[in-house]
Amino acid sequence: MPSRVPPPGLVHRSGTTGSSVIREALALTNRPDVLSFAGGLPASELLDIEGLRTAYDHALTEHPLRALQYSVTDGDPRLRELLADRLTQRGLSVPPDRLVITTGAQQALALLATALLKPGDTVAVEEPTYLAALQCFGYAGARVISVRTDDDGIDIDALAHVVERDRPRLLYLVPDFQNPTGRTLALARREALARLAETKGFWIIEDDPYGELRFHGARLPWVTAQEGAHDRSVLVGSLSKILAPGLRLGWICAPPALRQACVLAKQAADLHSSTVDQAAAAHYLGTHDIDARLDHARALYRDRCAAMLTALPGALPLGSTWSRPDGGMFLWAKLPEGHDTGALLPRAVDHGVAYVPGAPFFAGPPDPTTLRLSFASHGLQDIEEGMRRLGKAFT
Ligand SMILES: Cc1ncc(COP(=O)(O)O)c(C=O)c1O
């Protein structure tokens, strides 16, 4: 009997802890006694179940082959046209052939990492930043360097220093209502960032799943729309927060050569995103007043955010600070020194409330006093009750 030789071991590339803390926290939402403010789920009442059912019916009835056959890698032409029109209306004038439809914004990040990064390359990110982007760059074998941020987003002087010292190939950032902090990058910094990328030569990935969810103040132009950024900034978008995350549809808007590299990477990854989902989304976007629906979503999130902000002083220990988002779904809190939100989470869950500890959002040394709360998924009464429970857990 020949001896058995084990297969080679698995590759452990991700720089972050294997299982996502957010997913573990999300598992708690299944417990009916826990009010979870941990996940990034859009409000269920905003999902247009009937409208999407009709859109799928239409796709399968009117265009069954378009909906069910293999198709082109860069995405449904009608969907790209509608999305390009929307980007153009919102201040970034692009033709449909600048877009690639992806399986969620998350795949966009993975494709961009494939197209732009070799193992050992340096990526600069905001501190803190979106956890699954850290995982994505970790899987690409990148060295991830975090850059200081404040209430106005990434600190440009700190970034300039990192650029000189570490020569990053790319900067990843979420300028509008960032995940996890809810903060927005100030206009002057958008301009300065584009100038820095132009003079120092690095890529910018501008990840914007929340930009349409502004409920206070005027919209700011994308970094990608700034002078000097057009050939080095990539805008990533998503239907997850404006239509439904289950559709798994996002897009990349990139300069031509990078776009082509993403198309090739996508071919290798999954040939194309689901044709039926793309056809249904195109029908939906082409036949519904998305802005009216978004007005409703913005008003809902505005009220929920306000309710959470009102309740926070009673929920968090004296001396805590927190962000005041102008949109999106999250706010970020910092407890006084000495608190550890990771260690406090089980106590919070015992009191029937959950949040995400801040530590996993840091590429560098984590700040254990921080936490993220989503104000999007619960109604006003649950927010009040959840913050009351948090107050008890934290005393
Ligand atoms: C900043 C950011 N980028 C990307 C994503 C992924 O979005 P999608 O559902 O389109 O893959 C999320 C999801 O929460 C996010 O917060």
Side-chain angles (χ1 to χ4, degrees):
M1 191 75 160
S3 64
R4 299 193 77 228
V5 178
L10 306 179
V11 175
H12 292 290
R13 277 226 195 87
S14 173
T16 54
T17 47
S19 81
S20 155
V21 175
I22 294 188
R23 273 181 209 300
E24 283 163 25
L26 268 177
L28 301 172
T29 60
N30 295 333
R31 271 181 47 184
D33 57 321
V34 174
L35 286 170
S36 177
F37 301 93
L41 275 63
S44 314
E45 51 271 63
L46 294 176
L47 301 176
D48 184 1
I49 300 167
E50 268 316 305
L52 283 166
R53 197 201 319 271
T54 308
Y56 274 87
D57 270 356
H58 178 91
L60 288 166
T61 314
E62 301 297 318
H63 311 284
L65 295 186
R66 176 175 148 214
L68 295 175
Q69 271 297 6
Y70 282 119
S71 185
V72 288
T73 301
D74 57 0
D76 184 296
R78 177 73 184 133
L79 181 58
R80 281 189 290 120
E81 194 179 296
L82 287 159
L83 292 172
D85 281 355
R86 195 155 181 88
L87 293 180
T88 302
Q89 277 166 28
R90 296 176 65 217
L92 184 69
S93 177
V94 285
D97 65 8
R98 286 283 293 277
L99 302 186
V100 185
I101 305 296
T102 57
T103 302
Q106 193 60 38
Q107 186 189 42
L109 301 183
L111 298 179
L112 287 163
T114 304
L116 292 172
L117 296 174
K118 302 183 300 305
D121 281 344
T122 302
V123 174
V125 299
E126 293 159 291
E127 176 174 274
T129 192
Y130 171 49
L131 170 58
L134 289 178
Q135 288 175 318
C136 177
F137 299 133
Y139 274 115
R143 193 168 71 102
V144 183
I145 306 280
S146 56
V147 181
R148 195 176 57 231
T149 58
D150 59 25
D151 284 347
D152 286 335
I154 197 163
D155 179 321
I156 301 295
D157 291 338
L159 175 64
H161 176 71
V162 165
V163 166
E164 285 304 327
R165 192 190 60 197
D166 299 291
R167 300 276 159 205
R169 274 178 70 77
L170 72 85
L171 166 70
Y172 166 79
L173 83 169
V174 185
D176 282 353
F177 328 125
Q178 197 232 22
N179 181 1
T181 63
R183 292 174 185 145
T184 294
L185 183 66
L187 177 59
R189 293 192 186 186
R190 292 173 191 237
E191 293 159 359
L193 177 52
R195 275 197 303 278
L196 194 65
E198 189 178 21
T199 52
K200 298 296 177 185
F202 55 89
W203 289 98
I204 297 171
I205 298 181
E206 180 172 27
D207 187 8
D208 186 30
Y210 304 103
E212 299 246 37
L213 300 177
R214 178 179 279 280
F215 46 71
H216 290 310
R219 212 173 68 71
L220 297 177
W222 282 300
V223 175
T224 307
Q226 300 296 317
E227 215 180 297
H230 68 281
D231 63 346
R232 61 201 64 207
S233 188
V234 185
L235 184 65
V236 171
S238 173
L239 292 183
S240 290
K241 306 301 189 314
I242 59 175
L243 203 48
L247 287 170
R248 308 304 309 127
L249 288 173
W251 64 91
I252 295 170
C253 176
L258 176 55
R259 176 195 190 264
Q260 190 49 26
C262 290
V263 171
L264 292 177
K266 184 165 171 64
Q267 233 161 41
D270 65 354
L271 298 182
H272 57 73
S273 296
S274 154
T275 45
V276 63
D277 296 336
Q278 292 185 73
H283 181 73
Y284 189 95
L285 293 177
T287 53
H288 285 74
D289 184 351
I290 292 295
D291 291 305
R293 295 196 61 79
L294 283 170
D295 280 345
H296 176 55
R298 291 177 195 118
L300 193 83
Y301 290 159
R302 181 198 59 214
D303 293 350
R304 290 179 178 189
C305 181
M308 193 172 270
L309 287 170
T310 304
L312 272 183
L316 302 185
L318 202 67
S320 300
T321 55
W322 50 86
S323 59
R324 303 190 71 85
D326 286 330
M329 298 168 50
F330 305 112
L331 62 78
W332 181 249
K334 183 167 164 55
L335 310 193
E337 288 311 318
H339 286 84
D340 180 339
T341 56
L344 286 166
L345 182 60
R347 200 176 139 78
V349 171
D350 282 348
H351 282 78
V353 62
Y355 56 82
V356 191
F361 298 98
F362 288 78
D367 180 348
T369 66
T370 53
L371 63 98
R372 188 192 77 178
L373 289 164
S374 164
F375 49 80
S377 350
H378 289 291
L380 301 181
Q381 279 183 351
D382 280 353
I383 290 176
E384 258 175 50
E385 170 60 19
M387 294 304 104
R388 206 182 52 75
R389 292 181 189 181
L390 199 59
K392 280 196 171 160
F394 281 172
T395 48

